Amino acid sequence: MTAPKRPAGGESAFQIETILGGRRMRRNRRTDWSRRLVRENTLTVDDLIWPLFVTEGENVTEPVPSMPGVFRHSVDRIADQARIAADLGIPAIALFPNTDPARRDPEGSEALNPANLVCRACREIRDADLPLGIVTDVALDPYTSHGHDGLMDGETILNDETVSQLVEQSLLQAEAGSNIIAPSDMMDGRIGAIRAALDANGFDDVQIMSYAAKYASAFYGPFRDAVGTNATLIGDKRTYQMDPANTDEALHEVELDIAEGADMVMIKPGLPYLDIIRRVKDTFVRPTFAYQVSGEYAMIQAAAQNGWLDGERAMLESLMAFKRAGADGVLTYFAVDVARKLTGKS
């Protein structure tokens, strides 16, 4: 038997080569072209949904202090923002209102106003005839004086009464031009009720992206600043949003929403719940989305501004984590920055 040829490098190199048996994982990492060739997951512009905040007034663009680089835009400017997304090839935007406190009441009546911020913004974008989808949030918290997602009797959230109002809200948004209704309230049975109402009223092509597993998280603070609910929220949302300790419960929630007619499901927040994304995707093999929420965005931005990490690399790495976990797309405030990076467009 011929003895194996000893590689240059002496006895230690020979021992390593013998141990590895020729299996050197680093060969595929040596060059950029090789890394790209064997890459398991790819982030593209098609994976992005850009959340936008709408506010009252005219010609308004105002910063959200707790979310560097994020702004609230008045309705007359929202189509311009949507056009930026469309020009970059971003498939969809998601609208969230910063409702005037004077228009908020315990019943969230403004949610049923056909001329509320979201409905007006939908019409502006629809009239601009842009090649992108409009996702609209269905919940009462931007419209209630107590900051909760549902109607209340004392300190108790009224599930079924809330669902009835969410159905009306969904119909108004669909009529205004929403392409994807996205219920974020976590009330039981709302997906089935909304689907039935949409179909019965001629909106059978309107999709539903359910916030199927939405956790009672500490990462929502900057978002609540952006929509003005931090100042109004009484108590917390743990009686309807999910316990961060639970994973099996998320699968039950997703299963129910799919059975009720959800076209797509979402997990929120994102990075702290990558395990949920993976379990949901593996179990149901349905279009699965993640929301990289305001707190996740703000942490990366704050650390980057302080020079504690490379913001661009952290942004891209965090989004790749969603793809690796099984997400088909991500709602992220980084959407435009990422799209510009990926496409080379300004």
Side-chain angles (χ1 to χ4, degrees):
M1 179 180 293
T2 304
K5 183 179 180 180
R6 299 196 176 198
E11 186 68 25
S12 61
F14 174 72
Q15 291 173 342
I16 291 172
E17 188 67 28
T18 302
I19 292 168
L20 291 175
R23 295 170 296 179
R24 288 187 176 269
M25 298 296 291
R26 290 183 56 200
R27 275 195 286 261
N28 286 341
R29 306 175 196 149
R30 284 177 57 85
T31 61
D32 176 69
W33 65 261
S34 180
R35 290 191 297 271
R36 289 187 286 119
L37 196 64
V38 302
R39 187 163 291 152
E40 298 172 35
N41 296 282
T42 304
L43 178 68
T44 75
V45 175
D46 294 339
D47 299 317
L48 305 173
I49 298 174
W50 189 26
L52 288 169
F53 296 107
V54 190
T55 194
E56 296 287 358
E58 294 184 4
N59 200 32
V60 175
T61 296
E62 59 186 18
V64 179
S66 55
M67 299 176 70
V70 173
F71 300 85
R72 303 182 193 95
H73 305 276
S74 53
V75 171
D76 59 307
R77 287 196 162 193
I78 203 67
D80 291 336
Q81 298 304 305
R83 190 170 289 106
I84 290 171
D87 289 346
L88 289 167
I90 294 172
I93 58 169
L95 300 176
F96 299 92
N98 178 5
T99 305
D100 185 337
R103 294 181 177 271
R104 304 182 192 213
D105 59 30
E107 292 75 36
S109 304
E110 182 67 7
L112 305 184
N113 178 4
N116 66 29
L117 283 170
V118 167
C119 291
R120 284 156 48 207
C122 281
R123 293 188 183 97
E124 285 283 324
I125 298 166
R126 182 189 63 190
D127 291 347
D129 194 26
L130 299 170
L132 49 65
I134 306 171
V135 183
T136 51
D137 176 65
V138 171
L140 300 184
D141 55 323
Y143 308 99
T144 55
S145 53
H146 46 68
H148 280 283
D149 296 53
L151 304 176
M152 300 187 74
D153 181 6
E155 296 182 359
T156 301
I157 299 290
L158 302 174
N159 189 95
D160 296 359
E161 293 85 347
T162 296
V163 169
S164 294
Q165 189 151 321
L166 298 176
V167 167
E168 293 183 55
Q169 183 184 11
S170 299
L171 291 173
L172 285 175
Q173 292 180 356
E175 185 177 3
S178 175
N179 304 109
I180 301 177
I181 299 296
S184 65
D185 56 286
M186 290 299 288
M187 298 296 119
D188 293 334
R190 89 273 204 216
I191 301 301
I194 292 170
R195 183 73 271 163
L198 290 172
D199 291 352
N201 286 273
F203 298 115
D204 46 298
D205 287 336
V206 173
Q207 297 156 268
I208 295 179
M209 176 188 285
S210 169
Y211 287 62
K214 181 179 179 180
Y215 285 83
S217 173
F219 288 91
Y220 302 147
F223 174 91
R224 291 174 182 163
D225 287 340
V227 298
T229 60
N230 254 341
T232 61
L233 181 60
I234 299 170
D236 59 52
K237 302 189 177 187
R238 287 180 291 180
T239 66
Y240 49 101
Q241 293 180 357
M242 286 183 55
D243 187 336
N246 294 350
T247 64
D248 291 343
E249 184 185 10
L251 299 187
H252 291 303
E253 289 280 7
V254 171
E255 182 179 28
L256 285 168
D257 285 2
I258 291 173
E260 291 176 24
D263 301 287
M264 298 166 272
V265 296
M266 185 201 301
I267 289 83
K268 181 182 179 182
L271 287 177
Y273 297 89
L274 293 176
D275 59 320
I276 309 300
I277 298 169
R278 183 77 269 167
R279 289 195 70 186
V280 167
K281 187 63 176 179
D282 287 347
T283 302
F284 300 104
V285 200
R286 296 295 185 93
T288 303
F289 290 78
Y291 199 143
Q292 186 178 44
V293 299
S294 58
E296 300 171 61
Y297 171 87
M299 287 192 302
I300 293 174
Q301 288 287 62
Q305 288 183 357
N306 279 282
W308 298 335
L309 51 72
D310 183 324
E312 184 176 281
R313 287 187 62 190
M315 169 184 73
L316 294 170
E317 185 178 338
S318 68
L319 291 172
M320 184 59 75
F322 294 119
K323 295 292 293 179
R324 195 179 65 245
D328 296 288
V330 186
L331 285 84
T332 176
Y333 304 98
F334 287 121
V336 164
D337 293 332
V338 172
R340 286 172 172 156
K341 174 68 178 177
L342 294 176
T343 63
K345 297 179 180 179
S346 58

